[in-house]
Amino acid sequence: MADVSRTRGDMTSHPDVSEMRERYARMLGGRDVALVDGPVFLLGLYCAASPWILHYTASQPALMVHNLIMGIAIGLLALGFTRAPERMYGLSWAMCALGIWMIIAPWIVGTNPDAGVVASNVVIGALALVLGLICAGTVARSKPKR
């Protein structure tokens, strides 16, 4: 049986320690927006559930499906921001585009939406746009200058 309890020494003697430290610093540098991941996920969850919360599943069936799909997309972006931030924060501009689309969608996808539906989508869209801009701004600030 192998003896796994003994230690081999510290990491300072590892040949790739400088590269690992640099990568770790880059990862932590991009995590300035870690506080945004949760609100983005909750926003996606609300967007997906909003047709049932506001009870417009019967009056706006196309908008119901639209908000469900958009909510899932926003939630998946949030999960991607959390799981692979170094790769996914480049998609923060997509979050901005989703926000703009959510603002105009009631008139394009829906048919004669009432004030509650419009207000809900505008708030969801505005929050998605603001959170996407925060992510994009933080990513732009944390990129190394060449």
Side-chain angles (χ1 to χ4, degrees), residues 39-121:
V40 170
F41 184 75
L42 291 175
L43 182 68
L45 188 64
Y46 174 75
C47 181
S50 64
W52 291 274
I53 293 171
L54 299 176
H55 304 290
Y56 61 88
T57 55
S59 64
Q60 298 285 336
L63 201 55
M64 175 198 67
V65 173
H66 170 269
N67 278 18
L68 178 64
I69 292 170
M70 293 297 288
I72 291 170
I74 292 170
L76 288 175
L77 272 175
L79 290 175
F81 291 161
T82 302
R83 293 288 299 157
E86 196 170 66
R87 289 180 282 181
M88 289 295 292
Y89 280 130
L91 289 176
S92 54
W93 290 109
M95 183 72 156
C96 297
L98 290 176
I100 293 169
W101 174 251
M102 284 300 295
I103 291 171
I104 62 174
W107 296 282
I108 297 174
V109 177
T111 53
N112 296 326
D114 63 0
V117 172
V118 171
S120 176
N121 273 32

Side-chain angles (χ1 to χ4, degrees), residues 2 8 15 26 30 39 48 55 101 116 118-119 124 133:
R8 296 184 185 196
R26 273 196 325 257
H55 304 290
W101 174 251
V118 171
I124 291 170
L133 288 173

Side-chain angles (χ1 to χ4, degrees), residues 4-5 23 31 38 45 72 75 83-84 106 114 134 143:
V4 293
S5 62
R23 183 171 183 223
R31 295 302 295 160
L45 188 64
I72 291 170
R83 293 288 299 157
D114 63 0
I134 290 171
K143 282 192 178 181

